[in-house]
Amino acid sequence: GGGGPPGYVPPGADDRPAQQLLDIVFAEPSSFGREDDEALATAVARARNVVLAATLTEVAQAGYIKRDLNPPIPDVREYAAGFGPVNFAQDDDAAVRWATRSALHQGRELPTFDQVIVDTVVRAGQQTAPLLPPRFLINYRGGPGTFAAVPYSRVLAGEIPPEAFEGKIILVGATTPVLHDQFPAPFASQGTMTGVEIHANVL
């Protein structure tokens, strides 16, 4: 697109990642104020290739079940390449073995976070493997740490040159156990794997 939020500057050199995926839900305005949200919106618009996370929540009370979609706030999602639910289906033992290409919400199918990523990659002209069925077993490549990881603090400190990410698909997500984005998964010898790593395996 040609527009952007306040402070938007078009990107320059093409040493950008092929895709930037934020497995972080920005469902509420920043506690630091609107300028903080505008700064994030500006960064998303400038990148042009950011897919954002949403969540589907369910609250069961006596007599009814309330299901909600929690998307990114409008200021941020307006300039994103797309967004989709990051929820995982868990087996009876709580392990994540399956992935889906869509999620049902209020009678309609929403593309999941991973499916939105694939759609965005295809629109950008990149080749992908043939699409799998609507529900499929995750082809885990190994346990935690199989995919290369870079601490976000090192990126912010300028220790990682931008060209290190050129042409790559970048997933940004929480890895600390205190944020509870960890799930039982095959090959996770310590019992759990972070959600962001599970998405990497799905992709």
Side-chain angles (χ1 to χ4, degrees):
Y8 173 78
V9 177
D14 274 337
D15 59 353
R16 300 178 303 136
Q19 201 72 39
Q20 300 180 75
L21 321 166
L22 300 186
D23 184 16
I24 303 166
V25 181
F26 298 101
E28 298 177 358
S30 171
S31 59
F32 294 104
R34 183 168 177 79
E35 287 186 5
D36 204 40
D37 292 326
E38 288 177 351
L40 177 59
T42 297
V44 168
R46 187 173 189 276
R48 299 179 297 176
N49 60 4
V50 177
V51 175
L52 300 171
T55 57
L56 289 168
T57 57
E58 183 175 295
V59 177
Q61 298 287 348
Y64 76 95
I65 297 176
K66 185 175 184 289
R67 297 184 177 92
D68 288 314
L69 173 66
N70 302 284
I73 61 172
D75 283 358
V76 175
R77 71 174 185 255
E78 179 180 356
Y79 303 104
F83 68 89
V86 292
N87 305 67
F88 294 118
Q90 294 177 264
D91 286 341
D92 290 341
D93 62 356
V96 178
R97 297 183 178 89
W98 298 87
T100 60
R101 293 175 50 199
S102 64
L104 185 64
H105 177 63
Q106 295 185 349
R108 66 188 185 100
E109 298 284 341
L110 299 176
T112 59
F113 180 68
D114 300 300
Q115 183 61 52
V116 172
I117 294 164
V118 172
D119 292 343
T120 305
V121 166
V122 169
R123 282 198 306 270
Q126 299 184 46
Q127 291 186 331
T128 66
L131 292 179
L132 295 170
R135 182 175 184 266
F136 57 91
L137 275 170
I138 301 171
N139 182 16
Y140 281 95
R141 299 303 174 96
T146 296
F147 292 90
V150 176
Y152 200 69
S153 59
R154 294 192 63 199
V155 177
L156 291 177
E159 298 174 9
I160 309 296
E163 55 268 23
F165 302 115
E166 182 178 351
K168 293 181 171 61
I169 293 177
I170 306 300
L171 280 153
V172 180
T175 57
T176 176
V178 299
L179 293 178
H180 306 295
D181 190 22
Q182 310 231 356
F183 302 86
F187 309 109
S189 59
Q190 301 302 313
T192 62
M193 181 180 289
T194 61
V196 69
E197 289 181 283
I198 294 177
H199 286 298
N201 279 283
V202 172
L203 292 170

